[in-house]
Amino acid sequence: MPSVPHPATDEHPAIVLGGGIGGLAAALALHRRGIPVAVHERAASLEPVGAGLALAPNALRALDVLGVGARLRALAVRHPAVGLRRPSGRWLARTDTEAVQRHFGDPVLAVARAELVAALLAALPPGTVRTDSPATLVDAGDAQAPALVDTPDGRREASLVVAADGIRSATRAQLFPDHPGPRYSGFTTWRTVIDNPERPPAAVGEVWGRGALAGIVPLAAGRVYVYAAALAPAGEHAADGDEHAELLRRYGSWCAPLPELLRATDATRVLRNDVWALTDPLSAFHRGRVALLGDAAHAMSPFQGQGACQAIEDAVVLAAELPSPLPESGPFAALRAYSAARLPRASRIVAGSHTISRLVAVRSRPGVLLRDGALAFAGRLPDRVLLDRSAPTYAWQPPVPAAQ
Ligand SMILES: Cc1cc2nc3c(=O)[nH]c(=O)nc-3n(C[C@H](O)[C@H](O)[C@H](O)COP(=O)(O)OP(=O)(O)OC[C@H]3O[C@@H](n4cnc5c(N)ncnc54)[C@H](O)[C@@H]3O)c2cc1C
């Protein structure tokens, strides 16, 4: 995606730091509340890092508030055989995707990250996002003074700063210096998209092995998103730097269609990332006139597929709490309400993702037998029981915005 020129204006009472999914969703949510906003992204382009993304019904409801839900739902792909298998191919549980749709109004939708970024960007006024623009919070502001942000164009004043600067958020470290920061989850991940597989995958979903899993997710236009996670020391890479060969080495003997898909993968499109998470919750998601949002506030391991979903929820809740126009004296009541609404929910989902990561981490044969037995048992429970377990996350409803 090209770098977008920025309008030569200082009239942005709100500044967003970071143009990832969280930052773009926040900018769009503020814009739709009538709050002029500028996004500073330090990367040279918004070319999204990452491959596919699961958007659960809770995120789709939030995306509806942002006016982009329908565009993303048009990318939905249905598959007859979805579920959880062992590396041998034996099914542990099948997922009734229609039941999720019936119960929550939407399926868990898989999209390419680029599609989500493009949808958010297209809904923003041109020039909202400035790339190649690292920005630093200088002062969080208070009731007497605005927040101050240094940008490549000089120092900017803001009634509100949204720090969506990701898991390594410098803003979080600045505002919460006593917080221990992210901890390594024990897992590394690989992600890739195969554009033209020889044949569509006959079975999709996840495969759980010993301390490792792999996932196969069909995307629109016949593409297939493949991801994998395995226990590994932080910072480890394939010995010869060839992560494609590493994927084949680790997963090449797992059940079909994984080996075939991995062989068809373009080696240059394999991403490897270690998983870190903010397992120690922050004491608040705001300080002064600054709201922390997305991974900056609550980075979680990806095993529930909720990190970006929660960032999008954050954006919608923050904007709903804010008065428009932003008061010069600072939107402090709104920021307190934002923390109060988001912190318990996001922390619970961070903890839930961590619990799932512990299940994936099981390596011993007896442990795996026990775990898989429990998963198979759960898979035989009535849909209702499993859907009820997802309800606290999936049934979330966006708030009604404060009166203007
Ligand atoms: C393997 C894997 C699979 C995942 N799968 C899913 C899934 O299926 N569903 C889901 O919901 N979530 C998923 N997630 C989580 C999801 O990717 C993240 O939660 C989400 O992308 C976080 O978005 P963000 O905008 O908060 O942070 P980021 O995407 O990290 O964006 C932060 C941005 O801030 C910029 N930045 C940083 N510092 C500055 C600065 N000083 N000035 C300007 N810009 C700055 C960075 O360049 C970056 O672009 C997955 C994560 C992983 C690792």
PDB file of all heavy atoms in Angstrom, residues 17-23 40-43 52-54 113 133-135 164-167 189 191 225 273 275 293-296 302 305-309 311, ligand 1:
ATOM      1  N   LEU A  17      -1.070   6.845  17.846  1.00  0.00           N
ATOM      2  CA  LEU A  17       0.286   6.368  17.635  1.00  0.00           C
ATOM      3  C   LEU A  17       0.208   4.915  17.189  1.00  0.00           C
ATOM      4  O   LEU A  17      -0.195   4.045  17.963  1.00  0.00           O
ATOM      5  CB  LEU A  17       1.100   6.460  18.931  1.00  0.00           C
ATOM      6  CG  LEU A  17       1.128   7.829  19.630  1.00  0.00           C
ATOM      7  CD1 LEU A  17       1.959   7.755  20.904  1.00  0.00           C
ATOM      8  CD2 LEU A  17       1.684   8.885  18.686  1.00  0.00           C
ATOM      9  N   GLY A  18       0.564   4.643  15.940  1.00  0.00           N
ATOM     10  CA  GLY A  18       0.548   3.274  15.431  1.00  0.00           C
ATOM     11  C   GLY A  18      -0.586   3.056  14.452  1.00  0.00           C
ATOM     12  O   GLY A  18      -1.739   3.376  14.746  1.00  0.00           O
ATOM     13  N   GLY A  19      -0.243   2.525  13.290  1.00  0.00           N
ATOM     14  CA  GLY A  19      -1.241   2.281  12.235  1.00  0.00           C
ATOM     15  C   GLY A  19      -1.458   0.800  11.982  1.00  0.00           C
ATOM     16  O   GLY A  19      -1.662   0.396  10.844  1.00  0.00           O
ATOM     17  N   GLY A  20      -1.426  -0.021  13.043  1.00  0.00           N
ATOM     18  CA  GLY A  20      -1.831  -1.433  12.923  1.00  0.00           C
ATOM     19  C   GLY A  20      -3.351  -1.506  12.933  1.00  0.00           C
ATOM     20  O   GLY A  20      -4.048  -0.486  12.810  1.00  0.00           O
ATOM     21  N   ILE A  21      -3.865  -2.696  13.111  1.00  0.00           N
ATOM     22  CA  ILE A  21      -5.326  -2.865  13.097  1.00  0.00           C
ATOM     23  C   ILE A  21      -5.963  -2.039  14.218  1.00  0.00           C
ATOM     24  O   ILE A  21      -6.985  -1.381  14.023  1.00  0.00           O
ATOM     25  CB  ILE A  21      -5.676  -4.367  13.225  1.00  0.00           C
ATOM     26  CG1 ILE A  21      -5.285  -5.072  11.926  1.00  0.00           C
ATOM     27  CG2 ILE A  21      -7.160  -4.562  13.519  1.00  0.00           C
ATOM     28  CD1 ILE A  21      -5.244  -6.577  12.025  1.00  0.00           C
ATOM     29  N   GLY A  22      -5.330  -2.025  15.400  1.00  0.00           N
ATOM     30  CA  GLY A  22      -5.864  -1.262  16.526  1.00  0.00           C
ATOM     31  C   GLY A  22      -5.887   0.229  16.227  1.00  0.00           C
ATOM     32  O   GLY A  22      -6.907   0.906  16.458  1.00  0.00           O
ATOM     33  N   GLY A  23      -4.789   0.765  15.721  1.00  0.00           N
ATOM     34  CA  GLY A  23      -4.700   2.200  15.440  1.00  0.00           C
ATOM     35  C   GLY A  23      -5.679   2.623  14.354  1.00  0.00           C
ATOM     36  O   GLY A  23      -6.343   3.666  14.470  1.00  0.00           O
ATOM     37  N   HIS A  40      -0.137   8.377  13.225  1.00  0.00           N
ATOM     38  CA  HIS A  40       1.289   8.331  12.883  1.00  0.00           C
ATOM     39  C   HIS A  40       1.763   6.887  12.951  1.00  0.00           C
ATOM     40  O   HIS A  40       1.651   6.242  13.998  1.00  0.00           O
ATOM     41  CB  HIS A  40       2.101   9.191  13.850  1.00  0.00           C
ATOM     42  CG  HIS A  40       1.822  10.648  13.673  1.00  0.00           C
ATOM     43  ND1 HIS A  40       2.512  11.434  12.780  1.00  0.00           N
ATOM     44  CD2 HIS A  40       0.892  11.451  14.242  1.00  0.00           C
ATOM     45  CE1 HIS A  40       2.033  12.665  12.817  1.00  0.00           C
ATOM     46  NE2 HIS A  40       1.039  12.702  13.702  1.00  0.00           N
ATOM     47  N   GLU A  41       2.257   6.393  11.822  1.00  0.00           N
ATOM     48  CA  GLU A  41       2.782   5.013  11.748  1.00  0.00           C
ATOM     49  C   GLU A  41       4.261   5.100  11.379  1.00  0.00           C
ATOM     50  O   GLU A  41       4.624   5.712  10.383  1.00  0.00           O
ATOM     51  CB  GLU A  41       2.001   4.216  10.704  1.00  0.00           C
ATOM     52  CG  GLU A  41       2.657   2.912  10.282  1.00  0.00           C
ATOM     53  CD  GLU A  41       2.964   1.954  11.441  1.00  0.00           C
ATOM     54  OE1 GLU A  41       2.075   1.692  12.263  1.00  0.00           O
ATOM     55  OE2 GLU A  41       4.127   1.492  11.532  1.00  0.00           O
ATOM     56  N   ARG A  42       5.093   4.442  12.177  1.00  0.00           N
ATOM     57  CA  ARG A  42       6.537   4.591  11.929  1.00  0.00           C
ATOM     58  C   ARG A  42       7.010   3.796  10.713  1.00  0.00           C
ATOM     59  O   ARG A  42       7.997   4.158  10.087  1.00  0.00           O
ATOM     60  CB  ARG A  42       7.325   4.184  13.169  1.00  0.00           C
ATOM     61  CG  ARG A  42       7.338   2.710  13.430  1.00  0.00           C
ATOM     62  CD  ARG A  42       8.202   2.327  14.615  1.00  0.00           C
ATOM     63  NE  ARG A  42       7.931   0.956  14.966  1.00  0.00           N
ATOM     64  CZ  ARG A  42       8.223   0.404  16.115  1.00  0.00           C
ATOM     65  NH1 ARG A  42       8.800   1.110  17.054  1.00  0.00           N
ATOM     66  NH2 ARG A  42       7.956  -0.857  16.339  1.00  0.00           N
ATOM     67  N   ALA A  43       6.284   2.729  10.345  1.00  0.00           N
ATOM     68  CA  ALA A  43       6.720   1.927   9.191  1.00  0.00           C
ATOM     69  C   ALA A  43       6.527   2.722   7.907  1.00  0.00           C
ATOM     70  O   ALA A  43       5.713   3.641   7.837  1.00  0.00           O
ATOM     71  CB  ALA A  43       5.929   0.627   9.132  1.00  0.00           C
ATOM     72  N   GLY A  52      -3.260 -14.404   7.660  1.00  0.00           N
ATOM     73  CA  GLY A  52      -4.706 -14.397   7.818  1.00  0.00           C
ATOM     74  C   GLY A  52      -5.083 -13.965   9.215  1.00  0.00           C
ATOM     75  O   GLY A  52      -4.221 -13.776  10.079  1.00  0.00           O
ATOM     76  N   LEU A  53      -6.371 -13.819   9.420  1.00  0.00           N
ATOM     77  CA  LEU A  53      -6.860 -13.339  10.710  1.00  0.00           C
ATOM     78  C   LEU A  53      -8.278 -13.853  10.906  1.00  0.00           C
ATOM     79  O   LEU A  53      -9.092 -13.763   9.990  1.00  0.00           O
ATOM     80  CB  LEU A  53      -6.875 -11.815  10.673  1.00  0.00           C
ATOM     81  CG  LEU A  53      -6.988 -11.085  11.992  1.00  0.00           C
ATOM     82  CD1 LEU A  53      -5.681 -11.210  12.768  1.00  0.00           C
ATOM     83  CD2 LEU A  53      -7.297  -9.628  11.745  1.00  0.00           C
ATOM     84  N   ALA A  54      -8.547 -14.381  12.097  1.00  0.00           N
ATOM     85  CA  ALA A  54      -9.918 -14.797  12.409  1.00  0.00           C
ATOM     86  C   ALA A  54     -10.644 -13.629  13.050  1.00  0.00           C
ATOM     87  O   ALA A  54     -10.122 -12.993  13.971  1.00  0.00           O
ATOM     88  CB  ALA A  54      -9.886 -15.988  13.359  1.00  0.00           C
ATOM     89  N   ARG A 113      -5.137 -10.379   6.358  1.00  0.00           N
ATOM     90  CA  ARG A 113      -4.964  -9.112   7.094  1.00  0.00           C
ATOM     91  C   ARG A 113      -5.061  -7.918   6.167  1.00  0.00           C
ATOM     92  O   ARG A 113      -5.612  -6.879   6.522  1.00  0.00           O
ATOM     93  CB  ARG A 113      -3.604  -9.097   7.785  1.00  0.00           C
ATOM     94  CG  ARG A 113      -3.653  -9.847   9.071  1.00  0.00           C
ATOM     95  CD  ARG A 113      -2.325  -9.868   9.750  1.00  0.00           C
ATOM     96  NE  ARG A 113      -2.457 -10.822  10.828  1.00  0.00           N
ATOM     97  CZ  ARG A 113      -2.361 -10.531  12.121  1.00  0.00           C
ATOM     98  NH1 ARG A 113      -2.068  -9.315  12.502  1.00  0.00           N
ATOM     99  NH2 ARG A 113      -2.543 -11.455  13.029  1.00  0.00           N
ATOM    100  N   SER A 133       6.411   7.766   9.904  1.00  0.00           N
ATOM    101  CA  SER A 133       6.229   8.873  10.841  1.00  0.00           C
ATOM    102  C   SER A 133       6.279   8.374  12.287  1.00  0.00           C
ATOM    103  O   SER A 133       5.255   8.318  12.973  1.00  0.00           O
ATOM    104  CB  SER A 133       4.892   9.571  10.549  1.00  0.00           C
ATOM    105  OG  SER A 133       4.745  10.685  11.380  1.00  0.00           O
ATOM    106  N   PRO A 134       7.475   8.030  12.762  1.00  0.00           N
ATOM    107  CA  PRO A 134       7.573   7.612  14.165  1.00  0.00           C
ATOM    108  C   PRO A 134       7.198   8.778  15.070  1.00  0.00           C
ATOM    109  O   PRO A 134       7.607   9.909  14.833  1.00  0.00           O
ATOM    110  CB  PRO A 134       9.055   7.238  14.330  1.00  0.00           C
ATOM    111  CG  PRO A 134       9.755   7.911  13.196  1.00  0.00           C
ATOM    112  CD  PRO A 134       8.768   8.071  12.082  1.00  0.00           C
ATOM    113  N   ALA A 135       6.394   8.510  16.073  1.00  0.00           N
ATOM    114  CA  ALA A 135       5.951   9.583  16.964  1.00  0.00           C
ATOM    115  C   ALA A 135       6.146   9.147  18.407  1.00  0.00           C
ATOM    116  O   ALA A 135       6.041   7.961  18.723  1.00  0.00           O
ATOM    117  CB  ALA A 135       4.480   9.893  16.691  1.00  0.00           C
ATOM    118  N   ALA A 164      -1.592   3.053  20.213  1.00  0.00           N
ATOM    119  CA  ALA A 164      -1.842   1.728  19.620  1.00  0.00           C
ATOM    120  C   ALA A 164      -0.527   1.259  19.014  1.00  0.00           C
ATOM    121  O   ALA A 164      -0.469   0.832  17.864  1.00  0.00           O
ATOM    122  CB  ALA A 164      -2.943   1.829  18.571  1.00  0.00           C
ATOM    123  N   ASP A 165       0.539   1.398  19.821  1.00  0.00           N
ATOM    124  CA  ASP A 165       1.884   1.154  19.282  1.00  0.00           C
ATOM    125  C   ASP A 165       2.396  -0.260  19.568  1.00  0.00           C
ATOM    126  O   ASP A 165       3.599  -0.492  19.583  1.00  0.00           O
ATOM    127  CB  ASP A 165       2.876   2.240  19.761  1.00  0.00           C
ATOM    128  CG  ASP A 165       2.807   2.511  21.256  1.00  0.00           C
ATOM    129  OD1 ASP A 165       1.903   1.983  21.919  1.00  0.00           O
ATOM    130  OD2 ASP A 165       3.665   3.252  21.769  1.00  0.00           O
ATOM    131  N   GLY A 166       1.455  -1.195  19.759  1.00  0.00           N
ATOM    132  CA  GLY A 166       1.808  -2.599  19.723  1.00  0.00           C
ATOM    133  C   GLY A 166       2.393  -3.159  21.004  1.00  0.00           C
ATOM    134  O   GLY A 166       2.532  -2.475  22.023  1.00  0.00           O
ATOM    135  N   ILE A 167       2.738  -4.438  20.953  1.00  0.00           N
ATOM    136  CA  ILE A 167       3.151  -5.150  22.166  1.00  0.00           C
ATOM    137  C   ILE A 167       4.396  -4.535  22.816  1.00  0.00           C
ATOM    138  O   ILE A 167       4.540  -4.549  24.027  1.00  0.00           O
ATOM    139  CB  ILE A 167       3.358  -6.652  21.864  1.00  0.00           C
ATOM    140  CG1 ILE A 167       3.645  -7.427  23.144  1.00  0.00           C
ATOM    141  CG2 ILE A 167       4.425  -6.889  20.813  1.00  0.00           C
ATOM    142  CD1 ILE A 167       3.545  -8.924  23.008  1.00  0.00           C
ATOM    143  N   THR A 189       5.718 -19.063  16.267  1.00  0.00           N
ATOM    144  CA  THR A 189       4.663 -19.332  15.268  1.00  0.00           C
ATOM    145  C   THR A 189       5.191 -19.113  13.857  1.00  0.00           C
ATOM    146  O   THR A 189       6.142 -18.353  13.645  1.00  0.00           O
ATOM    147  CB  THR A 189       3.460 -18.376  15.460  1.00  0.00           C
ATOM    148  OG1 THR A 189       3.914 -17.031  15.276  1.00  0.00           O
ATOM    149  CG2 THR A 189       2.818 -18.537  16.811  1.00  0.00           C
ATOM    150  N   ARG A 191       3.458 -18.403   9.857  1.00  0.00           N
ATOM    151  CA  ARG A 191       2.225 -18.114   9.118  1.00  0.00           C
ATOM    152  C   ARG A 191       2.544 -17.970   7.642  1.00  0.00           C
ATOM    153  O   ARG A 191       3.602 -17.434   7.280  1.00  0.00           O
ATOM    154  CB  ARG A 191       1.603 -16.793   9.596  1.00  0.00           C
ATOM    155  CG  ARG A 191       0.931 -16.885  10.925  1.00  0.00           C
ATOM    156  CD  ARG A 191       0.495 -15.532  11.418  1.00  0.00           C
ATOM    157  NE  ARG A 191       1.592 -14.761  11.953  1.00  0.00           N
ATOM    158  CZ  ARG A 191       1.493 -13.510  12.367  1.00  0.00           C
ATOM    159  NH1 ARG A 191       0.343 -12.876  12.284  1.00  0.00           N
ATOM    160  NH2 ARG A 191       2.531 -12.871  12.871  1.00  0.00           N
ATOM    161  N   TYR A 225      -4.886 -20.053   4.224  1.00  0.00           N
ATOM    162  CA  TYR A 225      -4.002 -19.540   5.288  1.00  0.00           C
ATOM    163  C   TYR A 225      -3.571 -20.736   6.124  1.00  0.00           C
ATOM    164  O   TYR A 225      -4.416 -21.514   6.586  1.00  0.00           O
ATOM    165  CB  TYR A 225      -4.795 -18.520   6.111  1.00  0.00           C
ATOM    166  CG  TYR A 225      -4.199 -18.068   7.420  1.00  0.00           C
ATOM    167  CD1 TYR A 225      -2.835 -17.823   7.570  1.00  0.00           C
ATOM    168  CD2 TYR A 225      -5.026 -17.840   8.532  1.00  0.00           C
ATOM    169  CE1 TYR A 225      -2.315 -17.385   8.783  1.00  0.00           C
ATOM    170  CE2 TYR A 225      -4.518 -17.393   9.738  1.00  0.00           C
ATOM    171  CZ  TYR A 225      -3.156 -17.180   9.860  1.00  0.00           C
ATOM    172  OH  TYR A 225      -2.650 -16.740  11.056  1.00  0.00           O
ATOM    173  N   ASN A 273       7.251 -15.676  14.012  1.00  0.00           N
ATOM    174  CA  ASN A 273       7.220 -14.725  15.141  1.00  0.00           C
ATOM    175  C   ASN A 273       7.116 -15.482  16.450  1.00  0.00           C
ATOM    176  O   ASN A 273       6.322 -16.403  16.569  1.00  0.00           O
ATOM    177  CB  ASN A 273       5.989 -13.811  15.061  1.00  0.00           C
ATOM    178  CG  ASN A 273       5.961 -12.979  13.804  1.00  0.00           C
ATOM    179  OD1 ASN A 273       5.303 -13.345  12.847  1.00  0.00           O
ATOM    180  ND2 ASN A 273       6.673 -11.873  13.800  1.00  0.00           N
ATOM    181  N   VAL A 275       5.862 -15.642  20.309  1.00  0.00           N
ATOM    182  CA  VAL A 275       4.646 -15.118  20.936  1.00  0.00           C
ATOM    183  C   VAL A 275       4.962 -14.619  22.341  1.00  0.00           C
ATOM    184  O   VAL A 275       5.394 -15.389  23.207  1.00  0.00           O
ATOM    185  CB  VAL A 275       3.548 -16.196  21.018  1.00  0.00           C
ATOM    186  CG1 VAL A 275       2.338 -15.671  21.778  1.00  0.00           C
ATOM    187  CG2 VAL A 275       3.152 -16.648  19.621  1.00  0.00           C
ATOM    188  N   LEU A 293      -4.365   1.030  23.715  1.00  0.00           N
ATOM    189  CA  LEU A 293      -5.356   0.257  22.957  1.00  0.00           C
ATOM    190  C   LEU A 293      -4.671  -0.896  22.223  1.00  0.00           C
ATOM    191  O   LEU A 293      -3.536  -0.773  21.769  1.00  0.00           O
ATOM    192  CB  LEU A 293      -6.037   1.219  21.983  1.00  0.00           C
ATOM    193  CG  LEU A 293      -7.145   0.729  21.077  1.00  0.00           C
ATOM    194  CD1 LEU A 293      -8.208   1.821  20.886  1.00  0.00           C
ATOM    195  CD2 LEU A 293      -6.605   0.300  19.730  1.00  0.00           C
ATOM    196  N   GLY A 294      -5.378  -2.015  22.087  1.00  0.00           N
ATOM    197  CA  GLY A 294      -4.849  -3.166  21.337  1.00  0.00           C
ATOM    198  C   GLY A 294      -3.703  -3.835  22.074  1.00  0.00           C
ATOM    199  O   GLY A 294      -3.675  -3.887  23.313  1.00  0.00           O
ATOM    200  N   ASP A 295      -2.739  -4.339  21.326  1.00  0.00           N
ATOM    201  CA  ASP A 295      -1.620  -5.070  21.944  1.00  0.00           C
ATOM    202  C   ASP A 295      -0.848  -4.200  22.931  1.00  0.00           C
ATOM    203  O   ASP A 295      -0.235  -4.720  23.866  1.00  0.00           O
ATOM    204  CB  ASP A 295      -0.659  -5.594  20.866  1.00  0.00           C
ATOM    205  CG  ASP A 295      -1.151  -6.901  20.243  1.00  0.00           C
ATOM    206  OD1 ASP A 295      -2.300  -7.299  20.524  1.00  0.00           O
ATOM    207  OD2 ASP A 295      -0.388  -7.519  19.479  1.00  0.00           O
ATOM    208  N   ALA A 296      -0.850  -2.907  22.747  1.00  0.00           N
ATOM    209  CA  ALA A 296      -0.158  -2.032  23.707  1.00  0.00           C
ATOM    210  C   ALA A 296      -0.772  -2.186  25.097  1.00  0.00           C
ATOM    211  O   ALA A 296      -0.078  -2.075  26.108  1.00  0.00           O
ATOM    212  CB  ALA A 296      -0.264  -0.572  23.244  1.00  0.00           C
ATOM    213  N   PRO A 302      -1.989 -16.092  20.671  1.00  0.00           N
ATOM    214  CA  PRO A 302      -3.010 -16.088  19.604  1.00  0.00           C
ATOM    215  C   PRO A 302      -3.955 -17.279  19.622  1.00  0.00           C
ATOM    216  O   PRO A 302      -4.723 -17.452  18.685  1.00  0.00           O
ATOM    217  CB  PRO A 302      -2.153 -16.124  18.330  1.00  0.00           C
ATOM    218  CG  PRO A 302      -0.906 -16.816  18.722  1.00  0.00           C
ATOM    219  CD  PRO A 302      -0.666 -16.488  20.166  1.00  0.00           C
ATOM    220  N   GLY A 305      -7.480 -16.507  18.976  1.00  0.00           N
ATOM    221  CA  GLY A 305      -7.745 -15.646  17.818  1.00  0.00           C
ATOM    222  C   GLY A 305      -8.513 -14.402  18.214  1.00  0.00           C
ATOM    223  O   GLY A 305      -9.439 -13.973  17.532  1.00  0.00           O
ATOM    224  N   GLN A 306      -8.111 -13.761  19.317  1.00  0.00           N
ATOM    225  CA  GLN A 306      -8.876 -12.615  19.818  1.00  0.00           C
ATOM    226  C   GLN A 306      -8.070 -11.315  19.919  1.00  0.00           C
ATOM    227  O   GLN A 306      -8.630 -10.290  20.284  1.00  0.00           O
ATOM    228  CB  GLN A 306      -9.483 -12.945  21.183  1.00  0.00           C
ATOM    229  CG  GLN A 306     -10.817 -13.697  21.089  1.00  0.00           C
ATOM    230  CD  GLN A 306     -11.969 -12.809  20.624  1.00  0.00           C
ATOM    231  OE1 GLN A 306     -12.044 -11.639  20.972  1.00  0.00           O
ATOM    232  NE2 GLN A 306     -12.869 -13.350  19.832  1.00  0.00           N
ATOM    233  N   GLY A 307      -6.760 -11.344  19.626  1.00  0.00           N
ATOM    234  CA  GLY A 307      -5.951 -10.129  19.839  1.00  0.00           C
ATOM    235  C   GLY A 307      -6.471  -8.941  19.047  1.00  0.00           C
ATOM    236  O   GLY A 307      -6.737  -7.864  19.598  1.00  0.00           O
ATOM    237  N   ALA A 308      -6.628  -9.128  17.749  1.00  0.00           N
ATOM    238  CA  ALA A 308      -7.115  -8.031  16.909  1.00  0.00           C
ATOM    239  C   ALA A 308      -8.588  -7.765  17.202  1.00  0.00           C
ATOM    240  O   ALA A 308      -9.039  -6.611  17.182  1.00  0.00           O
ATOM    241  CB  ALA A 308      -6.901  -8.377  15.442  1.00  0.00           C
ATOM    242  N   CYS A 309      -9.343  -8.828  17.474  1.00  0.00           N
ATOM    243  CA  CYS A 309     -10.782  -8.651  17.792  1.00  0.00           C
ATOM    244  C   CYS A 309     -10.928  -7.719  18.998  1.00  0.00           C
ATOM    245  O   CYS A 309     -11.786  -6.824  19.014  1.00  0.00           O
ATOM    246  CB  CYS A 309     -11.429  -9.993  18.110  1.00  0.00           C
ATOM    247  SG  CYS A 309     -11.442 -11.165  16.744  1.00  0.00           S
ATOM    248  N   ALA A 311      -8.739  -5.498  20.026  1.00  0.00           N
ATOM    249  CA  ALA A 311      -8.303  -4.144  19.649  1.00  0.00           C
ATOM    250  C   ALA A 311      -9.451  -3.385  18.984  1.00  0.00           C
ATOM    251  O   ALA A 311      -9.663  -2.191  19.226  1.00  0.00           O
ATOM    252  CB  ALA A 311      -7.097  -4.233  18.704  1.00  0.00           C
TER     253      ALA A 311
HETATM  254  C1  LIG B   1       0.621 -15.862  14.973  1.00  0.00           C
HETATM  255  C2  LIG B   1      -0.448 -14.887  15.337  1.00  0.00           C
HETATM  256  C3  LIG B   1      -1.760 -15.121  14.920  1.00  0.00           C
HETATM  257  C4  LIG B   1      -2.772 -14.250  15.299  1.00  0.00           C
HETATM  258  N1  LIG B   1      -4.047 -14.518  14.891  1.00  0.00           N
HETATM  259  C5  LIG B   1      -5.046 -13.696  15.278  1.00  0.00           C
HETATM  260  C6  LIG B   1      -6.397 -13.959  14.872  1.00  0.00           C
HETATM  261  O1  LIG B   1      -6.677 -14.918  14.166  1.00  0.00           O
HETATM  262  N2  LIG B   1      -7.374 -13.102  15.298  1.00  0.00           N
HETATM  263  C7  LIG B   1      -7.110 -12.026  16.081  1.00  0.00           C
HETATM  264  O2  LIG B   1      -8.036 -11.297  16.438  1.00  0.00           O
HETATM  265  N3  LIG B   1      -5.832 -11.739  16.465  1.00  0.00           N
HETATM  266  C8  LIG B   1      -4.810 -12.542  16.070  1.00  0.00           C
HETATM  267  N4  LIG B   1      -3.526 -12.258  16.429  1.00  0.00           N
HETATM  268  C9  LIG B   1      -3.260 -11.050  17.255  1.00  0.00           C
HETATM  269  C10 LIG B   1      -3.240  -9.805  16.406  1.00  0.00           C
HETATM  270  O3  LIG B   1      -2.357  -9.957  15.332  1.00  0.00           O
HETATM  271  C11 LIG B   1      -2.823  -8.605  17.244  1.00  0.00           C
HETATM  272  O4  LIG B   1      -3.493  -8.605  18.471  1.00  0.00           O
HETATM  273  C12 LIG B   1      -3.143  -7.300  16.514  1.00  0.00           C
HETATM  274  O5  LIG B   1      -2.578  -7.290  15.231  1.00  0.00           O
HETATM  275  C13 LIG B   1      -2.645  -6.120  17.342  1.00  0.00           C
HETATM  276  O6  LIG B   1      -2.859  -4.930  16.648  1.00  0.00           O
HETATM  277  P1  LIG B   1      -2.287  -3.566  17.215  1.00  0.00           P
HETATM  278  O7  LIG B   1      -2.681  -2.536  16.219  1.00  0.00           O
HETATM  279  O8  LIG B   1      -2.676  -3.408  18.625  1.00  0.00           O
HETATM  280  O9  LIG B   1      -0.712  -3.753  17.234  1.00  0.00           O
HETATM  281  P2  LIG B   1       0.301  -3.890  16.017  1.00  0.00           P
HETATM  282  O10 LIG B   1      -0.288  -4.664  14.895  1.00  0.00           O
HETATM  283  O11 LIG B   1       1.570  -4.395  16.601  1.00  0.00           O
HETATM  284  O12 LIG B   1       0.495  -2.393  15.505  1.00  0.00           O
HETATM  285  C14 LIG B   1       1.272  -1.473  16.186  1.00  0.00           C
HETATM  286  C15 LIG B   1       1.780  -0.474  15.166  1.00  0.00           C
HETATM  287  O13 LIG B   1       2.390   0.622  15.842  1.00  0.00           O
HETATM  288  C16 LIG B   1       3.520   1.026  15.105  1.00  0.00           C
HETATM  289  N5  LIG B   1       4.379   1.759  16.006  1.00  0.00           N
HETATM  290  C17 LIG B   1       5.052   1.307  17.086  1.00  0.00           C
HETATM  291  N6  LIG B   1       5.714   2.317  17.690  1.00  0.00           N
HETATM  292  C18 LIG B   1       5.435   3.445  16.978  1.00  0.00           C
HETATM  293  C19 LIG B   1       5.819   4.809  17.103  1.00  0.00           C
HETATM  294  N7  LIG B   1       6.633   5.227  18.072  1.00  0.00           N
HETATM  295  N8  LIG B   1       5.347   5.698  16.196  1.00  0.00           N
HETATM  296  C20 LIG B   1       4.522   5.305  15.195  1.00  0.00           C
HETATM  297  N9  LIG B   1       4.135   4.008  15.029  1.00  0.00           N
HETATM  298  C21 LIG B   1       4.579   3.100  15.904  1.00  0.00           C
HETATM  299  C22 LIG B   1       4.095  -0.280  14.593  1.00  0.00           C
HETATM  300  O14 LIG B   1       4.933  -0.081  13.478  1.00  0.00           O
HETATM  301  C23 LIG B   1       2.835  -1.067  14.237  1.00  0.00           C
HETATM  302  O15 LIG B   1       2.435  -0.846  12.921  1.00  0.00           O
HETATM  303  C24 LIG B   1      -2.479 -13.107  16.073  1.00  0.00           C
HETATM  304  C25 LIG B   1      -1.157 -12.849  16.462  1.00  0.00           C
HETATM  305  C26 LIG B   1      -0.146 -13.720  16.103  1.00  0.00           C
HETATM  306  C27 LIG B   1       1.259 -13.435  16.551  1.00  0.00           C
END
